[in-house]
Amino acid sequence: ARAAQIIAQLKRTAGPGNYTIIEREDLDDDEAWNSDFDENREVKTLQFKIQLENVTDPPAWRRVDVPDNFTFSDFHDIIQIVFGWENEHLFQFSPKGYGSNPVTTEIYEDDDFTNADPLEANEVLLSEIFHSEKQKYTYIYDFGDDWKHLITLEKMLPEEISLPECIGGKGQ
């Protein structure tokens, strides 16, 4: 029932498409989804616009509200869901894409990061990086196909939410 609600919302906000809902229990790291949630902490909502770069006819973007105590690993999962990606490739977050630091990603023992010491995506909270409205960041998914997403922090809202929500979008 919840999956049907999410798909209906995506169709209303982002248009028709072939959407697949990844269930929380299907995600690689269910603990990361809960991301150090402290019920006594005042949670702020971060409203992001995520624009897929180099896709213009029509543009593909999503607007999402996310609790600021979610990790970058959580944020990766959210982007995967709202864009219909299948979570089959590596990813990274960084200020301006390749060559900019800090890089936030999943770190594996055999990774060879020669240009930077990356931050572990499941340890860094969004609130540790995003501090001001209009702040921009880059999410790259699938280093072979190089899907680059421009992330803009549009609003920092005082309302408390416990789960993310896709509130707008366009394109597939």
Short mmCIF file of all heavy atoms in Angstrom, two decimals, residues 28-68:
data_model
loop_
_atom_site.label_atom_id
_atom_site.label_comp_id
_atom_site.label_asym_id
_atom_site.label_seq_id
_atom_site.Cartn_x
_atom_site.Cartn_y
_atom_site.Cartn_z
N ASP A 28 20.89 -2.14 1.19
CA ASP A 28 22.09 -2.82 1.67
C ASP A 28 22.32 -2.64 3.16
O ASP A 28 22.82 -3.53 3.83
CB ASP A 28 23.32 -2.30 0.92
CG ASP A 28 23.30 -2.70 -0.54
OD1 ASP A 28 22.65 -3.71 -0.88
OD2 ASP A 28 23.94 -1.99 -1.32
N ASP A 29 21.99 -1.48 3.70
CA ASP A 29 22.32 -1.18 5.09
C ASP A 29 21.12 -0.54 5.77
O ASP A 29 20.98 0.68 5.76
CB ASP A 29 23.54 -0.25 5.13
CG ASP A 29 24.03 0.01 6.54
OD1 ASP A 29 23.45 -0.54 7.49
OD2 ASP A 29 24.99 0.77 6.67
N ASP A 30 20.25 -1.36 6.33
CA ASP A 30 19.03 -0.84 6.95
C ASP A 30 19.35 0.09 8.12
O ASP A 30 18.64 1.03 8.39
CB ASP A 30 18.14 -1.99 7.42
CG ASP A 30 16.75 -1.51 7.79
OD1 ASP A 30 16.18 -0.73 7.00
OD2 ASP A 30 16.26 -1.90 8.86
N GLU A 31 20.47 -0.15 8.82
CA GLU A 31 20.83 0.72 9.93
C GLU A 31 21.09 2.14 9.46
O GLU A 31 20.76 3.10 10.13
CB GLU A 31 22.07 0.18 10.65
CG GLU A 31 21.78 -0.97 11.56
CD GLU A 31 23.01 -1.41 12.32
OE1 GLU A 31 23.88 -0.56 12.57
OE2 GLU A 31 23.10 -2.59 12.63
N ALA A 32 21.69 2.29 8.28
CA ALA A 32 21.99 3.62 7.76
C ALA A 32 20.71 4.41 7.52
O ALA A 32 20.68 5.62 7.66
CB ALA A 32 22.80 3.53 6.47
N TRP A 33 19.62 3.72 7.15
CA TRP A 33 18.36 4.40 6.89
C TRP A 33 17.88 5.12 8.15
O TRP A 33 17.33 6.20 8.09
CB TRP A 33 17.33 3.37 6.42
CG TRP A 33 16.05 4.01 6.01
CD1 TRP A 33 14.95 4.20 6.79
CD2 TRP A 33 15.74 4.57 4.75
NE1 TRP A 33 13.97 4.84 6.07
CE2 TRP A 33 14.42 5.08 4.83
CE3 TRP A 33 16.43 4.69 3.55
CZ2 TRP A 33 13.81 5.68 3.75
CZ3 TRP A 33 15.80 5.30 2.48
CH2 TRP A 33 14.51 5.79 2.60
N ASN A 34 18.10 4.53 9.32
CA ASN A 34 17.66 5.13 10.57
C ASN A 34 18.59 6.23 11.05
O ASN A 34 18.21 7.04 11.87
CB ASN A 34 17.50 4.05 11.64
CG ASN A 34 16.39 3.09 11.29
OD1 ASN A 34 15.34 3.51 10.83
ND2 ASN A 34 16.63 1.81 11.46
N SER A 35 19.80 6.23 10.63
CA SER A 35 20.79 7.29 10.77
C SER A 35 20.82 8.03 12.10
O SER A 35 20.53 9.21 12.16
CB SER A 35 20.65 8.29 9.64
OG SER A 35 19.47 9.01 9.73
N ASP A 36 21.18 7.34 13.13
CA ASP A 36 21.43 7.98 14.42
C ASP A 36 20.27 8.87 14.88
O ASP A 36 20.48 9.96 15.42
CB ASP A 36 22.72 8.81 14.38
CG ASP A 36 23.91 7.97 14.01
OD1 ASP A 36 23.96 6.80 14.45
OD2 ASP A 36 24.78 8.45 13.29
N PHE A 37 19.06 8.44 14.68
CA PHE A 37 17.90 9.25 15.04
C PHE A 37 17.78 9.36 16.55
O PHE A 37 17.75 8.37 17.26
CB PHE A 37 16.62 8.64 14.45
CG PHE A 37 15.41 9.48 14.69
CD1 PHE A 37 15.24 10.65 14.00
CD2 PHE A 37 14.46 9.11 15.63
CE1 PHE A 37 14.13 11.45 14.22
CE2 PHE A 37 13.35 9.89 15.85
CZ PHE A 37 13.18 11.07 15.14
N ASP A 38 17.75 10.57 17.04
CA ASP A 38 17.60 10.85 18.46
C ASP A 38 16.26 11.57 18.62
O ASP A 38 16.09 12.70 18.17
CB ASP A 38 18.76 11.73 18.93
CG ASP A 38 18.64 12.13 20.39
OD1 ASP A 38 17.64 11.77 21.04
OD2 ASP A 38 19.56 12.81 20.87
N GLU A 39 15.31 10.93 19.29
CA GLU A 39 13.97 11.49 19.40
C GLU A 39 13.94 12.80 20.17
O GLU A 39 13.01 13.58 20.04
CB GLU A 39 13.04 10.47 20.06
CG GLU A 39 12.79 9.26 19.18
CD GLU A 39 11.84 8.27 19.84
OE1 GLU A 39 11.15 8.65 20.80
OE2 GLU A 39 11.80 7.13 19.37
N ASN A 40 14.94 13.07 20.98
CA ASN A 40 14.95 14.30 21.78
C ASN A 40 15.55 15.49 21.03
O ASN A 40 15.49 16.61 21.50
CB ASN A 40 15.74 14.06 23.08
CG ASN A 40 15.07 13.00 23.93
OD1 ASN A 40 13.85 12.97 24.03
ND2 ASN A 40 15.86 12.13 24.52
N ARG A 41 16.16 15.24 19.89
CA ARG A 41 16.80 16.29 19.11
C ARG A 41 15.77 16.99 18.23
O ARG A 41 14.92 16.35 17.64
CB ARG A 41 17.88 15.67 18.23
CG ARG A 41 18.65 16.65 17.42
CD ARG A 41 19.66 15.89 16.55
NE ARG A 41 20.30 16.77 15.64
CZ ARG A 41 19.80 17.14 14.47
NH1 ARG A 41 18.65 16.69 14.08
NH2 ARG A 41 20.46 17.96 13.68
N GLU A 42 15.87 18.31 18.14
CA GLU A 42 14.99 19.04 17.24
C GLU A 42 15.50 18.86 15.82
O GLU A 42 16.59 19.30 15.48
CB GLU A 42 14.96 20.53 17.59
CG GLU A 42 14.03 21.32 16.70
CD GLU A 42 14.04 22.79 17.02
OE1 GLU A 42 14.25 23.15 18.19
OE2 GLU A 42 13.82 23.58 16.10
N VAL A 43 14.74 18.18 15.00
CA VAL A 43 15.14 17.89 13.63
C VAL A 43 14.68 19.01 12.73
O VAL A 43 13.52 19.44 12.79
CB VAL A 43 14.54 16.55 13.16
CG1 VAL A 43 14.91 16.28 11.71
CG2 VAL A 43 15.01 15.42 14.05
N LYS A 44 15.57 19.49 11.90
CA LYS A 44 15.21 20.45 10.88
C LYS A 44 15.01 19.71 9.58
O LYS A 44 15.56 18.64 9.36
CB LYS A 44 16.31 21.49 10.71
CG LYS A 44 16.47 22.42 11.87
CD LYS A 44 17.54 23.42 11.58
CE LYS A 44 17.74 24.34 12.76
NZ LYS A 44 18.86 25.26 12.53
N THR A 45 14.24 20.29 8.71
CA THR A 45 14.02 19.71 7.40
C THR A 45 14.85 20.47 6.38
O THR A 45 14.83 21.70 6.35
CB THR A 45 12.53 19.80 7.03
OG1 THR A 45 11.78 19.09 8.01
CG2 THR A 45 12.27 19.23 5.66
N LEU A 46 15.58 19.73 5.59
CA LEU A 46 16.35 20.31 4.50
C LEU A 46 15.58 20.05 3.21
O LEU A 46 15.24 18.91 2.91
CB LEU A 46 17.74 19.68 4.42
CG LEU A 46 18.61 19.82 5.67
CD1 LEU A 46 19.92 19.06 5.48
CD2 LEU A 46 18.87 21.27 5.99
N GLN A 47 15.28 21.11 2.47
CA GLN A 47 14.59 20.95 1.19
C GLN A 47 15.60 21.12 0.07
O GLN A 47 16.24 22.16 -0.06
CB GLN A 47 13.47 21.97 1.04
CG GLN A 47 12.63 21.73 -0.20
CD GLN A 47 11.45 22.67 -0.23
OE1 GLN A 47 11.50 23.71 -0.89
NE2 GLN A 47 10.41 22.30 0.49
N PHE A 48 15.75 20.06 -0.72
CA PHE A 48 16.72 20.04 -1.81
C PHE A 48 16.03 19.98 -3.15
O PHE A 48 14.99 19.33 -3.31
CB PHE A 48 17.60 18.78 -1.72
CG PHE A 48 18.48 18.71 -0.52
CD1 PHE A 48 18.13 17.92 0.57
CD2 PHE A 48 19.67 19.41 -0.47
CE1 PHE A 48 18.95 17.82 1.67
CE2 PHE A 48 20.50 19.33 0.64
CZ PHE A 48 20.14 18.54 1.71
N LYS A 49 16.64 20.62 -4.14
CA LYS A 49 16.30 20.37 -5.54
C LYS A 49 17.49 19.60 -6.11
O LYS A 49 18.64 20.03 -5.98
CB LYS A 49 16.09 21.66 -6.32
CG LYS A 49 15.71 21.37 -7.78
CD LYS A 49 15.40 22.64 -8.54
CE LYS A 49 15.00 22.32 -9.97
NZ LYS A 49 14.76 23.57 -10.73
N ILE A 50 17.20 18.46 -6.71
CA ILE A 50 18.24 17.60 -7.28
C ILE A 50 17.99 17.55 -8.78
O ILE A 50 16.96 17.04 -9.24
CB ILE A 50 18.19 16.19 -6.66
CG1 ILE A 50 18.25 16.28 -5.14
CG2 ILE A 50 19.31 15.32 -7.23
CD1 ILE A 50 17.83 15.01 -4.43
N GLN A 51 18.91 18.11 -9.55
CA GLN A 51 18.77 18.24 -11.01
C GLN A 51 19.78 17.32 -11.69
O GLN A 51 20.97 17.38 -11.42
CB GLN A 51 19.05 19.68 -11.42
CG GLN A 51 19.17 19.91 -12.90
CD GLN A 51 17.85 20.30 -13.54
OE1 GLN A 51 17.05 20.98 -12.93
NE2 GLN A 51 17.66 19.87 -14.76
N LEU A 52 19.30 16.45 -12.57
CA LEU A 52 20.17 15.59 -13.35
C LEU A 52 20.81 16.46 -14.43
O LEU A 52 20.11 17.04 -15.26
CB LEU A 52 19.38 14.43 -13.95
CG LEU A 52 20.13 13.35 -14.68
CD1 LEU A 52 21.21 12.72 -13.81
CD2 LEU A 52 19.17 12.28 -15.17
N GLU A 53 22.14 16.57 -14.40
CA GLU A 53 22.84 17.43 -15.35
C GLU A 53 22.84 16.82 -16.75
O GLU A 53 22.77 15.61 -16.92
CB GLU A 53 24.28 17.67 -14.89
CG GLU A 53 24.36 18.49 -13.62
CD GLU A 53 25.78 18.84 -13.22
OE1 GLU A 53 26.73 18.54 -13.96
OE2 GLU A 53 25.94 19.42 -12.14
N ASN A 54 22.90 17.68 -17.75
CA ASN A 54 22.97 17.30 -19.17
C ASN A 54 21.72 16.59 -19.66
O ASN A 54 21.75 15.90 -20.67
CB ASN A 54 24.21 16.44 -19.45
CG ASN A 54 25.49 17.16 -19.07
OD1 ASN A 54 25.64 18.35 -19.35
ND2 ASN A 54 26.39 16.47 -18.40
N VAL A 55 20.62 16.75 -18.95
CA VAL A 55 19.32 16.25 -19.40
C VAL A 55 18.41 17.48 -19.42
O VAL A 55 18.08 18.03 -18.37
CB VAL A 55 18.76 15.16 -18.46
CG1 VAL A 55 17.37 14.73 -18.91
CG2 VAL A 55 19.70 13.97 -18.41
N THR A 56 18.03 17.91 -20.64
CA THR A 56 17.33 19.18 -20.74
C THR A 56 15.99 19.12 -21.47
O THR A 56 15.24 20.08 -21.43
CB THR A 56 18.21 20.21 -21.48
OG1 THR A 56 18.57 19.69 -22.76
CG2 THR A 56 19.47 20.51 -20.67
N ASP A 57 15.66 18.03 -22.13
CA ASP A 57 14.44 18.01 -22.94
C ASP A 57 13.59 16.79 -22.64
O ASP A 57 13.64 15.82 -23.38
CB ASP A 57 14.79 18.06 -24.42
CG ASP A 57 13.58 18.32 -25.29
OD1 ASP A 57 12.56 18.84 -24.78
OD2 ASP A 57 13.64 17.98 -26.49
N PRO A 58 12.78 16.78 -21.60
CA PRO A 58 12.65 17.83 -20.59
C PRO A 58 13.72 17.66 -19.51
O PRO A 58 14.33 16.60 -19.40
CB PRO A 58 11.26 17.57 -20.01
CG PRO A 58 11.11 16.08 -20.09
CD PRO A 58 11.83 15.69 -21.37
N PRO A 59 13.91 18.70 -18.70
CA PRO A 59 14.85 18.54 -17.58
C PRO A 59 14.33 17.50 -16.59
O PRO A 59 13.13 17.30 -16.47
CB PRO A 59 14.88 19.94 -16.94
CG PRO A 59 13.65 20.62 -17.42
CD PRO A 59 13.29 20.01 -18.74
N ALA A 60 15.25 16.83 -15.93
CA ALA A 60 14.87 15.83 -14.92
C ALA A 60 15.34 16.32 -13.57
O ALA A 60 16.54 16.49 -13.35
CB ALA A 60 15.49 14.48 -15.25
N TRP A 61 14.39 16.58 -12.69
CA TRP A 61 14.73 17.05 -11.35
C TRP A 61 13.69 16.56 -10.35
O TRP A 61 12.59 16.18 -10.71
CB TRP A 61 14.85 18.58 -11.30
CG TRP A 61 13.58 19.31 -11.67
CD1 TRP A 61 13.19 19.71 -12.91
CD2 TRP A 61 12.53 19.71 -10.78
NE1 TRP A 61 11.96 20.34 -12.86
CE2 TRP A 61 11.53 20.35 -11.56
CE3 TRP A 61 12.33 19.60 -9.41
CZ2 TRP A 61 10.37 20.87 -11.01
CZ3 TRP A 61 11.16 20.11 -8.86
CH2 TRP A 61 10.21 20.75 -9.66
N ARG A 62 14.11 16.56 -9.08
CA ARG A 62 13.21 16.21 -7.99
C ARG A 62 13.44 17.20 -6.85
O ARG A 62 14.56 17.65 -6.61
CB ARG A 62 13.48 14.79 -7.45
CG ARG A 62 13.42 13.68 -8.48
CD ARG A 62 12.01 13.45 -9.01
NE ARG A 62 11.99 12.33 -9.94
CZ ARG A 62 12.15 12.43 -11.26
NH1 ARG A 62 12.37 13.59 -11.82
NH2 ARG A 62 12.10 11.35 -12.02
N ARG A 63 12.36 17.49 -6.14
CA ARG A 63 12.44 18.30 -4.92
C ARG A 63 12.08 17.37 -3.77
O ARG A 63 11.05 16.72 -3.79
CB ARG A 63 11.50 19.49 -5.00
CG ARG A 63 11.56 20.38 -3.78
CD ARG A 63 10.85 21.72 -4.01
NE ARG A 63 11.64 22.55 -4.92
CZ ARG A 63 11.21 22.97 -6.12
NH1 ARG A 63 10.02 22.66 -6.56
NH2 ARG A 63 12.01 23.72 -6.87
N VAL A 64 12.97 17.30 -2.79
CA VAL A 64 12.76 16.39 -1.66
C VAL A 64 12.98 17.12 -0.34
O VAL A 64 13.85 17.98 -0.23
CB VAL A 64 13.69 15.15 -1.73
CG1 VAL A 64 13.36 14.30 -2.94
CG2 VAL A 64 15.14 15.52 -1.73
N ASP A 65 12.16 16.77 0.64
CA ASP A 65 12.36 17.20 2.02
C ASP A 65 13.03 16.04 2.75
O ASP A 65 12.55 14.90 2.67
CB ASP A 65 11.03 17.54 2.69
CG ASP A 65 10.45 18.86 2.22
OD1 ASP A 65 11.15 19.63 1.55
OD2 ASP A 65 9.26 19.11 2.53
N VAL A 66 14.10 16.34 3.47
CA VAL A 66 14.88 15.30 4.14
C VAL A 66 15.23 15.77 5.55
O VAL A 66 15.65 16.93 5.73
CB VAL A 66 16.20 15.03 3.36
CG1 VAL A 66 17.01 13.94 4.03
CG2 VAL A 66 15.92 14.68 1.91
N PRO A 67 15.07 14.91 6.56
CA PRO A 67 15.52 15.29 7.90
C PRO A 67 17.03 15.57 7.90
O PRO A 67 17.80 14.84 7.26
CB PRO A 67 15.21 14.05 8.76
CG PRO A 67 14.16 13.31 8.00
CD PRO A 67 14.46 13.57 6.55
N ASP A 68 17.45 16.61 8.59
CA ASP A 68 18.87 16.98 8.54
C ASP A 68 19.77 16.02 9.31
O ASP A 68 20.98 16.10 9.21
CB ASP A 68 19.10 18.42 8.98
CG ASP A 68 18.94 18.64 10.48
OD1 ASP A 68 18.39 17.76 11.18
OD2 ASP A 68 19.36 19.70 10.96
#
